[in-house]
């Protein structure tokens, strides 16, 4: 009985699905990895860009098992890059009918935290990114940041590069 | 001299910008936080969904300083959620002309790793997500995964929920 209470406790929420079994499902997620699919065969080029622009490190890659006759290099199914303590996955889009990664105008931004926003943006631009928002400071930065600028990479992904404001500005939940 | 070599070594790459100063910029990124902007005022509802579906925990939130007369609750500028060891940011889109987060058909997917794909998908669906790809196993899973399924959340974001394949399948870089 006591064990049952422990199982139902913690961060578990009722899902409203009316299913008693579902309500006590404890699922453990071990990692969140954003995956960017780029126009084939540009994944290798994108990986070089993320290394040059953001200091990403490649942890490994899985290649597409079938290489077409006209391809010099096999396509990348998934490359794992370590970036700012997280992992991102970069893939070649094997199916040309699918849309490559594009976050511009989608309400989705990858926010990279750093103490040196200006240098980070200079470095990204040097590697081939384009500035989409000049550096804003103070209230103009918004979202609890003290300064932030945005760049778009050559593969359509927008990166917000910013420094968090003092913790005092954050309302604890 | 020895110190200079250390500074230029490691993961540093020439940026091709032809700028000697830029080539030795060492920028340290401390975090990567994907930010999802949802249609206002649904950020609070989205946060509840990520808690129920994925066991996310809210670390804090910053509210919009200006509350409109017809708003019952202030808009959320940025809420920080801990999810699978990463942090995601969820915001209300203050400007109605901007597009809410949408990853479907954009080549961008959030991949969540778990050992229990079926339970994770059941739980997400119980919380309001919709299955967009049934669970695939073995080679069909692709991307070095042994099994994977995809769900779309009520805010337009697609999550791939999967278990990584044995490390043996990964080609080290």
């Amino acid at each position: 009985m006591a064990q049952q209470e422990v199982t139902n406790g913690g961060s578990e929420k009722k899902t409203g699905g009316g299913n008693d079994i579902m309500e006590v499902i404890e699922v453990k997620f071990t990692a969140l990895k954003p995956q960017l699919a780029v126009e084939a065969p540009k994944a290798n080029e994108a990986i070089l860009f993320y290394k040059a622009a953001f200091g990403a490190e490649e942890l490994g890659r899985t290649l597409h098992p079938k290489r077409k006759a006209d391809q010099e290099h096999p396509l990348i199914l998934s490359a794992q890059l370590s970036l700012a303590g997280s992992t991102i996955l970069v893939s070649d889009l094997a199916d040309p009918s699918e849309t490559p990664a594009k976050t511009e105008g989608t309400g989705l931004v990858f926010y990279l935290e750093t103490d040196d926003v200006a240098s980070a943006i200079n470095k990204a631009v040097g590697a081939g990114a384009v500035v989409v928002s000049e550096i804003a400071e103070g209230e103009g930065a918004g979202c609890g940041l003290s300064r932030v600028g945005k760049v778009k990479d050559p593969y359509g992904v927008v990166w917000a590069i910013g420094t968090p404001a003092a913790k005092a500005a954050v309302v604890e939940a």
Side-chain angles (χ1 to χ4, degrees), chain A residues 80-131:
Chain A
Q80 302 214 9
L81 302 187
S82 173
L83 175 51
S86 289
T87 301
I88 65 168
L89 307 174
V90 179
S91 305
D92 277 313
L93 256 186
D95 180 349
S97 71
E98 291 176 33
T99 318
K102 180 179 175 303
T103 67
E104 205 176 14
T106 64
L108 199 138
V109 169
F110 287 104
Y111 165 54
L112 278 171
E113 255 179 35
T114 180
D115 289 335
D116 191 352
V117 174
S119 295
I121 289 178
N122 282 343
K123 192 172 174 182
V125 168
V130 175
V131 172

Short mmCIF file of all heavy atoms in Angstrom, two decimals, chain A residues 80-131:
data_model
loop_
_atom_site.label_atom_id
_atom_site.label_comp_id
_atom_site.label_asym_id
_atom_site.label_seq_id
_atom_site.Cartn_x
_atom_site.Cartn_y
_atom_site.Cartn_z
N GLN A 80 26.10 12.80 -34.50
CA GLN A 80 25.88 13.35 -33.17
C GLN A 80 26.95 14.40 -32.89
O GLN A 80 28.14 14.11 -32.94
CB GLN A 80 25.99 12.25 -32.11
CG GLN A 80 25.02 11.11 -32.30
CD GLN A 80 24.54 10.54 -30.96
OE1 GLN A 80 24.81 11.09 -29.90
NE2 GLN A 80 23.80 9.43 -31.03
N LEU A 81 26.49 15.61 -32.58
CA LEU A 81 27.42 16.70 -32.26
C LEU A 81 27.20 17.14 -30.82
O LEU A 81 26.06 17.37 -30.40
CB LEU A 81 27.21 17.90 -33.18
CG LEU A 81 27.32 17.72 -34.68
CD1 LEU A 81 27.24 19.08 -35.35
CD2 LEU A 81 28.62 17.03 -35.05
N SER A 82 28.29 17.30 -30.09
CA SER A 82 28.21 17.87 -28.75
C SER A 82 28.33 19.39 -28.88
O SER A 82 29.27 19.90 -29.48
CB SER A 82 29.34 17.32 -27.90
OG SER A 82 29.37 17.98 -26.65
N LEU A 83 27.34 20.09 -28.34
CA LEU A 83 27.30 21.54 -28.50
C LEU A 83 26.77 22.16 -27.21
O LEU A 83 25.63 21.92 -26.81
CB LEU A 83 26.38 21.89 -29.69
CG LEU A 83 26.10 23.37 -29.95
CD1 LEU A 83 27.38 24.18 -30.03
CD2 LEU A 83 25.32 23.53 -31.25
N ALA A 84 27.62 22.93 -26.54
CA ALA A 84 27.22 23.65 -25.32
C ALA A 84 26.63 22.72 -24.27
O ALA A 84 25.68 23.09 -23.58
CB ALA A 84 26.23 24.77 -25.67
N GLY A 85 27.17 21.52 -24.17
CA GLY A 85 26.71 20.58 -23.15
C GLY A 85 25.49 19.76 -23.56
O GLY A 85 25.06 18.88 -22.83
N SER A 86 24.92 20.08 -24.74
CA SER A 86 23.81 19.29 -25.28
C SER A 86 24.30 18.50 -26.48
O SER A 86 25.43 18.66 -26.93
CB SER A 86 22.66 20.19 -25.71
OG SER A 86 22.01 20.77 -24.61
N THR A 87 23.43 17.65 -27.00
CA THR A 87 23.74 16.92 -28.22
C THR A 87 22.73 17.32 -29.29
O THR A 87 21.52 17.36 -29.02
CB THR A 87 23.67 15.40 -28.00
OG1 THR A 87 24.60 15.04 -26.98
CG2 THR A 87 24.00 14.63 -29.27
N ILE A 88 23.21 17.65 -30.49
CA ILE A 88 22.29 17.83 -31.62
C ILE A 88 22.63 16.75 -32.65
O ILE A 88 23.75 16.25 -32.71
CB ILE A 88 22.36 19.24 -32.25
CG1 ILE A 88 23.72 19.53 -32.88
CG2 ILE A 88 22.02 20.32 -31.23
CD1 ILE A 88 23.71 20.78 -33.75
N LEU A 89 21.63 16.40 -33.44
CA LEU A 89 21.81 15.41 -34.51
C LEU A 89 21.67 16.13 -35.84
O LEU A 89 20.78 16.97 -36.01
CB LEU A 89 20.73 14.32 -34.40
CG LEU A 89 20.60 13.63 -33.03
CD1 LEU A 89 19.42 12.67 -33.02
CD2 LEU A 89 21.89 12.90 -32.67
N VAL A 90 22.55 15.82 -36.77
CA VAL A 90 22.50 16.41 -38.10
C VAL A 90 22.40 15.28 -39.12
O VAL A 90 23.16 14.31 -39.05
CB VAL A 90 23.73 17.29 -38.39
CG1 VAL A 90 23.68 17.89 -39.79
CG2 VAL A 90 23.85 18.40 -37.35
N SER A 91 21.44 15.40 -40.04
CA SER A 91 21.18 14.33 -41.02
C SER A 91 21.05 14.90 -42.42
O SER A 91 20.62 16.04 -42.60
CB SER A 91 19.84 13.64 -40.71
OG SER A 91 19.82 13.17 -39.39
N ASP A 92 21.40 14.06 -43.40
CA ASP A 92 21.02 14.37 -44.78
C ASP A 92 19.58 13.93 -45.00
O ASP A 92 19.18 12.83 -44.58
CB ASP A 92 21.91 13.60 -45.76
CG ASP A 92 23.25 14.28 -46.01
OD1 ASP A 92 23.24 15.50 -46.25
OD2 ASP A 92 24.28 13.60 -45.97
N LEU A 93 18.81 14.76 -45.66
CA LEU A 93 17.43 14.39 -46.01
C LEU A 93 17.49 13.44 -47.20
O LEU A 93 17.74 13.86 -48.33
CB LEU A 93 16.65 15.63 -46.42
CG LEU A 93 15.67 16.23 -45.45
CD1 LEU A 93 14.92 17.35 -46.14
CD2 LEU A 93 14.72 15.22 -44.85
N ALA A 94 17.27 12.15 -46.96
CA ALA A 94 17.41 11.18 -48.04
C ALA A 94 16.29 11.33 -49.07
O ALA A 94 16.48 11.07 -50.25
CB ALA A 94 17.41 9.77 -47.47
N ASP A 95 15.14 11.79 -48.62
CA ASP A 95 13.99 11.92 -49.52
C ASP A 95 13.88 13.38 -49.99
O ASP A 95 13.60 14.28 -49.19
CB ASP A 95 12.73 11.51 -48.75
CG ASP A 95 11.48 11.61 -49.60
OD1 ASP A 95 11.55 12.19 -50.71
OD2 ASP A 95 10.44 11.11 -49.15
N PRO A 96 14.14 13.64 -51.28
CA PRO A 96 14.17 15.03 -51.75
C PRO A 96 12.81 15.72 -51.65
O PRO A 96 12.73 16.94 -51.73
CB PRO A 96 14.57 14.89 -53.23
CG PRO A 96 15.00 13.47 -53.43
CD PRO A 96 14.36 12.67 -52.35
N SER A 97 11.73 14.95 -51.43
CA SER A 97 10.42 15.59 -51.34
C SER A 97 10.20 16.19 -49.95
O SER A 97 9.27 16.97 -49.74
CB SER A 97 9.31 14.57 -51.62
OG SER A 97 9.20 13.66 -50.55
N GLU A 98 11.07 15.85 -49.00
CA GLU A 98 10.92 16.41 -47.66
C GLU A 98 11.58 17.77 -47.56
O GLU A 98 12.46 18.11 -48.33
CB GLU A 98 11.49 15.45 -46.61
CG GLU A 98 10.66 14.17 -46.47
CD GLU A 98 11.29 13.19 -45.50
OE1 GLU A 98 11.92 13.64 -44.53
OE2 GLU A 98 11.16 11.98 -45.72
N THR A 99 11.15 18.54 -46.58
CA THR A 99 11.64 19.91 -46.42
C THR A 99 12.83 19.95 -45.48
O THR A 99 12.76 19.39 -44.39
CB THR A 99 10.52 20.79 -45.83
OG1 THR A 99 9.29 20.45 -46.46
CG2 THR A 99 10.83 22.25 -46.01
N PRO A 100 13.91 20.59 -45.89
CA PRO A 100 15.06 20.71 -44.99
C PRO A 100 14.72 21.57 -43.77
O PRO A 100 13.73 22.31 -43.77
CB PRO A 100 16.11 21.42 -45.85
CG PRO A 100 15.64 21.34 -47.25
CD PRO A 100 14.15 21.24 -47.19
N ALA A 101 15.55 21.47 -42.75
CA ALA A 101 15.37 22.24 -41.52
C ALA A 101 15.25 23.72 -41.83
O ALA A 101 15.99 24.26 -42.65
CB ALA A 101 16.56 22.01 -40.58
N LYS A 102 14.31 24.37 -41.18
CA LYS A 102 14.12 25.80 -41.36
C LYS A 102 13.39 26.28 -40.13
O LYS A 102 12.26 25.85 -39.87
CB LYS A 102 13.28 26.08 -42.61
CG LYS A 102 13.04 27.55 -42.86
CD LYS A 102 12.23 27.75 -44.13
CE LYS A 102 11.87 29.20 -44.36
NZ LYS A 102 11.13 29.80 -43.23
N THR A 103 14.03 27.13 -39.34
CA THR A 103 13.34 27.61 -38.15
C THR A 103 12.91 29.07 -38.33
O THR A 103 12.15 29.57 -37.52
CB THR A 103 14.22 27.52 -36.88
OG1 THR A 103 15.31 28.42 -37.02
CG2 THR A 103 14.73 26.11 -36.68
N GLU A 104 13.38 29.73 -39.39
CA GLU A 104 13.02 31.13 -39.56
C GLU A 104 11.50 31.25 -39.75
O GLU A 104 10.92 30.54 -40.57
CB GLU A 104 13.75 31.71 -40.78
CG GLU A 104 13.92 33.21 -40.68
CD GLU A 104 14.72 33.76 -41.85
OE1 GLU A 104 14.90 33.05 -42.84
OE2 GLU A 104 15.15 34.93 -41.75
N GLY A 105 10.90 32.14 -38.98
CA GLY A 105 9.47 32.34 -39.11
C GLY A 105 8.63 31.18 -38.60
O GLY A 105 7.48 31.02 -38.98
N THR A 106 9.21 30.33 -37.72
CA THR A 106 8.43 29.21 -37.21
C THR A 106 8.20 29.29 -35.71
O THR A 106 7.64 28.38 -35.13
CB THR A 106 9.14 27.86 -37.48
OG1 THR A 106 10.37 27.85 -36.75
CG2 THR A 106 9.41 27.64 -38.95
N GLY A 107 8.63 30.35 -35.07
CA GLY A 107 8.44 30.45 -33.62
C GLY A 107 9.38 29.56 -32.85
O GLY A 107 9.20 29.33 -31.67
N LEU A 108 10.39 29.05 -33.54
CA LEU A 108 11.35 28.16 -32.87
C LEU A 108 12.75 28.71 -33.06
O LEU A 108 13.15 29.05 -34.18
CB LEU A 108 11.24 26.77 -33.47
CG LEU A 108 11.85 25.72 -32.57
CD1 LEU A 108 10.98 24.49 -32.54
CD2 LEU A 108 13.24 25.38 -32.99
N VAL A 109 13.47 28.83 -31.96
CA VAL A 109 14.82 29.39 -32.00
C VAL A 109 15.71 28.52 -31.11
O VAL A 109 15.26 28.01 -30.08
CB VAL A 109 14.81 30.84 -31.44
CG1 VAL A 109 16.22 31.35 -31.20
CG2 VAL A 109 14.07 31.78 -32.37
N PHE A 110 16.94 28.33 -31.54
CA PHE A 110 17.90 27.68 -30.67
C PHE A 110 18.68 28.76 -29.95
O PHE A 110 19.35 29.58 -30.57
CB PHE A 110 18.84 26.77 -31.46
CG PHE A 110 18.16 25.52 -31.92
CD1 PHE A 110 17.77 25.37 -33.23
CD2 PHE A 110 17.86 24.52 -31.02
CE1 PHE A 110 17.12 24.22 -33.65
CE2 PHE A 110 17.21 23.38 -31.43
CZ PHE A 110 16.83 23.23 -32.74
N TYR A 111 18.55 28.74 -28.63
CA TYR A 111 19.19 29.76 -27.82
C TYR A 111 20.50 29.21 -27.25
O TYR A 111 20.51 28.19 -26.57
CB TYR A 111 18.23 30.20 -26.72
CG TYR A 111 18.86 30.98 -25.62
CD1 TYR A 111 19.62 32.12 -25.90
CD2 TYR A 111 18.73 30.59 -24.30
CE1 TYR A 111 20.22 32.83 -24.89
CE2 TYR A 111 19.34 31.29 -23.28
CZ TYR A 111 20.08 32.40 -23.59
OH TYR A 111 20.70 33.09 -22.58
N LEU A 112 21.59 29.88 -27.57
CA LEU A 112 22.91 29.49 -27.07
C LEU A 112 23.37 30.51 -26.04
O LEU A 112 23.45 31.71 -26.32
CB LEU A 112 23.93 29.47 -28.22
CG LEU A 112 23.98 28.22 -29.09
CD1 LEU A 112 24.88 28.47 -30.30
CD2 LEU A 112 24.47 27.01 -28.30
N GLU A 113 23.69 30.04 -24.84
CA GLU A 113 24.13 30.93 -23.76
C GLU A 113 25.63 31.09 -23.77
O GLU A 113 26.38 30.10 -23.83
CB GLU A 113 23.73 30.31 -22.41
CG GLU A 113 22.56 30.99 -21.76
CD GLU A 113 22.17 30.34 -20.44
OE1 GLU A 113 23.05 29.88 -19.68
OE2 GLU A 113 20.96 30.30 -20.18
N THR A 114 26.07 32.33 -23.66
CA THR A 114 27.50 32.61 -23.56
C THR A 114 27.68 33.95 -22.86
O THR A 114 26.77 34.79 -22.86
CB THR A 114 28.16 32.65 -24.96
OG1 THR A 114 29.57 32.93 -24.81
CG2 THR A 114 27.56 33.74 -25.85
N ASP A 115 28.85 34.14 -22.26
CA ASP A 115 29.14 35.43 -21.63
C ASP A 115 29.67 36.44 -22.64
O ASP A 115 29.79 37.61 -22.33
CB ASP A 115 30.19 35.24 -20.51
CG ASP A 115 29.60 34.52 -19.31
OD1 ASP A 115 28.37 34.59 -19.13
OD2 ASP A 115 30.37 33.88 -18.57
N ASP A 116 30.02 35.97 -23.84
CA ASP A 116 30.66 36.86 -24.81
C ASP A 116 29.87 36.85 -26.12
O ASP A 116 30.25 36.22 -27.11
CB ASP A 116 32.10 36.39 -25.03
CG ASP A 116 32.91 37.40 -25.83
OD1 ASP A 116 32.33 38.38 -26.34
OD2 ASP A 116 34.13 37.19 -25.96
N VAL A 117 28.74 37.56 -26.10
CA VAL A 117 27.80 37.55 -27.22
C VAL A 117 28.45 38.09 -28.50
O VAL A 117 28.33 37.50 -29.58
CB VAL A 117 26.53 38.36 -26.87
CG1 VAL A 117 25.62 38.50 -28.07
CG2 VAL A 117 25.78 37.69 -25.72
N ALA A 118 29.17 39.21 -28.37
CA ALA A 118 29.73 39.85 -29.56
C ALA A 118 30.74 38.93 -30.25
O ALA A 118 30.71 38.76 -31.48
CB ALA A 118 30.38 41.18 -29.17
N SER A 119 31.63 38.33 -29.48
CA SER A 119 32.63 37.44 -30.09
C SER A 119 31.96 36.22 -30.71
O SER A 119 32.36 35.75 -31.78
CB SER A 119 33.65 36.98 -29.04
OG SER A 119 34.40 38.05 -28.57
N ALA A 120 30.94 35.70 -30.02
CA ALA A 120 30.26 34.52 -30.54
C ALA A 120 29.59 34.82 -31.88
O ALA A 120 29.67 34.02 -32.82
CB ALA A 120 29.22 34.03 -29.53
N ILE A 121 28.99 35.99 -31.97
CA ILE A 121 28.32 36.36 -33.23
C ILE A 121 29.36 36.60 -34.32
O ILE A 121 29.19 36.16 -35.46
CB ILE A 121 27.37 37.56 -33.02
CG1 ILE A 121 26.16 37.09 -32.19
CG2 ILE A 121 26.94 38.18 -34.34
CD1 ILE A 121 25.17 38.16 -31.86
N ASN A 122 30.44 37.29 -33.98
CA ASN A 122 31.51 37.50 -34.97
C ASN A 122 32.03 36.18 -35.50
O ASN A 122 32.27 36.03 -36.71
CB ASN A 122 32.67 38.28 -34.34
CG ASN A 122 32.37 39.76 -34.23
OD1 ASN A 122 31.45 40.26 -34.89
ND2 ASN A 122 33.11 40.46 -33.38
N LYS A 123 32.21 35.24 -34.61
CA LYS A 123 32.76 33.96 -35.01
C LYS A 123 31.79 33.20 -35.92
O LYS A 123 32.18 32.60 -36.92
CB LYS A 123 33.08 33.13 -33.76
CG LYS A 123 33.91 31.91 -34.04
CD LYS A 123 34.35 31.25 -32.75
CE LYS A 123 35.07 29.95 -33.03
NZ LYS A 123 35.47 29.26 -31.80
N ALA A 124 30.50 33.25 -35.56
CA ALA A 124 29.49 32.57 -36.38
C ALA A 124 29.39 33.19 -37.76
O ALA A 124 29.30 32.50 -38.78
CB ALA A 124 28.13 32.62 -35.67
N VAL A 125 29.46 34.53 -37.80
CA VAL A 125 29.39 35.23 -39.09
C VAL A 125 30.64 34.90 -39.92
O VAL A 125 30.57 34.67 -41.13
CB VAL A 125 29.23 36.76 -38.88
CG1 VAL A 125 29.44 37.53 -40.17
CG2 VAL A 125 27.84 37.05 -38.29
N GLY A 126 31.79 34.83 -39.26
CA GLY A 126 33.02 34.46 -39.95
C GLY A 126 32.93 33.07 -40.57
O GLY A 126 33.53 32.79 -41.61
N ALA A 127 32.12 32.21 -39.94
CA ALA A 127 31.99 30.83 -40.45
C ALA A 127 30.89 30.71 -41.50
O ALA A 127 30.72 29.65 -42.09
CB ALA A 127 31.71 29.89 -39.28
N GLY A 128 30.11 31.80 -41.71
CA GLY A 128 29.11 31.75 -42.77
C GLY A 128 27.68 32.07 -42.35
O GLY A 128 26.77 32.04 -43.17
N ALA A 129 27.46 32.39 -41.08
CA ALA A 129 26.11 32.76 -40.63
C ALA A 129 25.81 34.21 -41.01
O ALA A 129 26.72 34.98 -41.34
CB ALA A 129 25.99 32.58 -39.13
N VAL A 130 24.54 34.58 -40.97
CA VAL A 130 24.10 35.93 -41.31
C VAL A 130 23.36 36.50 -40.10
O VAL A 130 22.54 35.81 -39.48
CB VAL A 130 23.13 35.88 -42.52
CG1 VAL A 130 22.56 37.26 -42.83
CG2 VAL A 130 23.84 35.31 -43.73
N VAL A 131 23.65 37.77 -39.76
CA VAL A 131 22.97 38.40 -38.63
C VAL A 131 21.52 38.67 -39.01
O VAL A 131 21.24 39.26 -40.06
CB VAL A 131 23.67 39.72 -38.22
CG1 VAL A 131 22.84 40.47 -37.18
CG2 VAL A 131 25.07 39.43 -37.68
#
